Amino acid sequence: MMIINALGVLDNPNAALSVASAGKLVQGSDELTIDARTLADAHASGLTAVNITLGYTMGDTEPYRHTIREIDIWDSIIRDNSGDLTLVRTAAGLRRAGEEGRIGIVYGFQNAVAIGEDLGRVATFADRGVRVVQLTYNQANHIGDGSMAPENRGLTAFGRQAVEALNDSRIMVDLSHSGENTCLEAARTSRQPVSVNHTGCRALADLPRNKTDEELRLVAERGGFVGIYFMPFLNTSGHARAADVVEHIDHAVNVCGEDHVGIGTDGPVTAIDDLDAYRATLAEHVALRRQAGVGAAGERSDTFPFVVDLRGVDQFRELIRLLEQRGYSSDRIEKIMGRNFLAHAERIWGR
């Protein structure tokens, strides 16, 4: 089965380098650990491809230079692990990754700030292999409002131009983290279908990071894609379980239709081995995010940023089992696990 994670992480969070950087506000690509366990776990999980986050998301670094450096780092990672990893630029690249037994890597941003005021940079990013650009993170930027921006404005005038430039370069317009009006306006403005690569359903858990039925329906009606995450925002208690993931997938399928829903876990395949030790790092990280004003409602030091009973190398197999238990057909499950993202990629990137 093709398994495509619309937003995930490739890292061994137990390695010394990754542990040392996990509590920082921003973990750079050079602070991830792509080691033998990372690669073995990714293969063992059945993962075909993953959209990874690189470049500027937040912090004090100069966005454009930092982003170019991050692309350079990932080019080097893929080159050094070419037997296991391959850069994906087209839908055919997703298929080829599966056929060759390599993990397809999709370059994506979780904030479009690196575009700056120069729309020509969009084409530069596309040339470097970037295939997904999320317009905003949680806060507002010069393109639109994020999910935690209280004004809930739509796209700015420049934001509409940015969407057009992304369309011209055939880059996915990702509306994860966006405010409601930014999402709705971008979905209507874009000439191509848009996506929400990692989110939940606000009808089930009323938190800003989740999307309303109106947003989900509009994205689907315009031919787009919605990925459900394995995140605490799926339950207002903050302690989401695998059953919550299934409920949110099922709700999204009912709203969007089975051809427009997939997964975007927002986490790694390799599980954290020592959760007790991780709690201290998590508390530090949540405090830094709150201090920087980039956190989201529902983030707390006592809630893991992942679903505890849906992690590690068996996470995708376990989700498949639960969907089967829910009565989902094999065809529908294959769509959710990867074929729907592949179809969306064909619409945006070409075959």
Side-chain angles (χ1 to χ4, degrees):
M1 183 182 298
M2 178 175 283
I3 297 176
I4 303 177
N5 191 349
L7 192 282
V9 179
L10 201 64
D11 180 39
N12 177 2
N14 307 291
L17 177 64
S18 296
V19 170
S21 61
K24 296 171 61 176
L25 178 62
V26 181
Q27 189 176 32
S29 293
D30 56 351
E31 296 172 310
L32 299 173
T33 304
I34 316 298
D35 60 6
R37 180 177 175 184
T38 310
L39 298 171
D41 285 356
H43 287 301
S45 74
L47 182 68
T48 304
V50 56
N51 166 34
I52 56 102
T53 299
L54 53 73
Y56 180 88
T57 300
M58 67 191 84
D60 297 328
T61 56
E62 197 286 317
Y64 181 72
R65 287 196 298 272
H66 174 73
T67 298
I68 293 298
R69 179 173 179 271
E70 290 263 291
I71 294 172
D72 289 341
I73 290 168
W74 267 100
D75 283 351
S76 180
I77 290 171
I78 293 173
R79 185 169 55 250
D80 291 345
N81 297 277
S82 59
D84 295 285
L85 306 177
T86 180
L87 178 62
V88 170
R89 291 175 175 266
T90 63
L94 293 171
R95 294 192 198 88
R96 190 162 52 251
E99 293 164 359
E100 295 176 350
R102 295 192 286 174
I103 308 299
I105 303 297
V106 178
Y107 288 174
F109 297 169
Q110 280 205 69
N111 198 332
V113 167
I115 294 172
E117 300 294 334
D118 182 1
L119 292 173
R121 290 178 178 177
V122 172
T124 299
F125 294 141
D127 289 343
R128 292 298 308 270
V130 175
R131 289 297 178 266
V132 180
V133 170
Q134 184 177 291
L135 297 187
T136 73
Y137 196 62
N138 290 329
Q139 65 274 41
N141 63 20
H142 67 306
I143 287 171
D145 276 10
S147 60
M148 294 304 297
E151 296 85 355
N152 189 27
R153 298 165 297 192
L155 291 174
T156 65
F158 183 81
R160 288 188 285 276
Q161 295 176 33
V163 169
E164 183 175 1
L166 292 168
N167 289 164
D168 289 343
S169 288
R170 304 194 70 81
I171 293 176
M172 280 188 191
V173 176
D174 182 5
L175 302 173
S176 307
H177 286 265
S178 69
E180 183 176 359
N181 285 331
T182 298
C183 178
L184 293 171
E185 186 172 350
R188 295 185 181 109
T189 298
S190 178
R191 303 191 312 272
Q192 297 166 357
V194 297
S195 61
V196 187
N197 284 9
H198 61 297
T199 191
C201 306
R202 200 177 300 182
L204 301 185
D206 190 8
L207 292 168
R209 273 290 286 110
N210 296 330
K211 293 299 184 185
T212 65
D213 283 0
E214 182 182 6
E215 292 170 274
L216 296 173
R217 189 174 294 111
L218 180 62
V219 168
E221 286 176 351
R222 297 184 69 84
F225 170 87
V226 173
I228 299 300
Y229 46 32
F230 299 2
M231 292 287 284
F233 310 114
L234 299 180
N235 190 304
T236 53
S237 72
H239 303 290
R241 309 289 291 186
D244 294 304
V245 177
V246 173
E247 290 299 328
H248 281 256
I249 288 174
D250 190 59
H251 183 84
V253 167
N254 289 333
V255 172
C256 302
E258 67 178 39
D259 295 326
H260 301 280
V261 178
I263 55 169
T265 68
D266 203 7
V269 171
T270 300
I272 295 170
D273 295 332
D274 189 344
L275 290 180
D276 290 333
Y278 173 66
R279 283 187 174 91
T281 300
L282 176 62
E284 179 184 357
H285 185 63
V286 170
L288 284 173
R289 286 173 61 83
R290 185 178 297 117
Q291 183 179 357
V294 298
E299 293 181 18
R300 303 197 309 269
S301 60
D302 67 331
T303 65
F304 292 125
F306 45 78
V307 175
V308 176
D309 60 341
L310 202 61
R311 63 195 185 97
V313 296
D314 290 322
Q315 61 187 270
F316 303 123
R317 283 184 286 273
E318 176 64 8
L319 178 58
I320 289 168
R321 186 188 70 80
L322 293 171
L323 291 172
E324 289 173 340
Q325 193 176 73
R326 187 62 174 252
Y328 275 37
S329 68
S330 59
D331 184 64
R332 176 177 281 189
I333 292 172
E334 287 180 11
K335 288 180 179 181
I336 291 168
M337 298 307 296
R339 279 170 42 200
N340 283 343
F341 186 91
L342 173 65
H344 184 63
E346 289 176 342
R347 291 189 287 268
I348 308 304
W349 306 337
R351 293 177 176 271

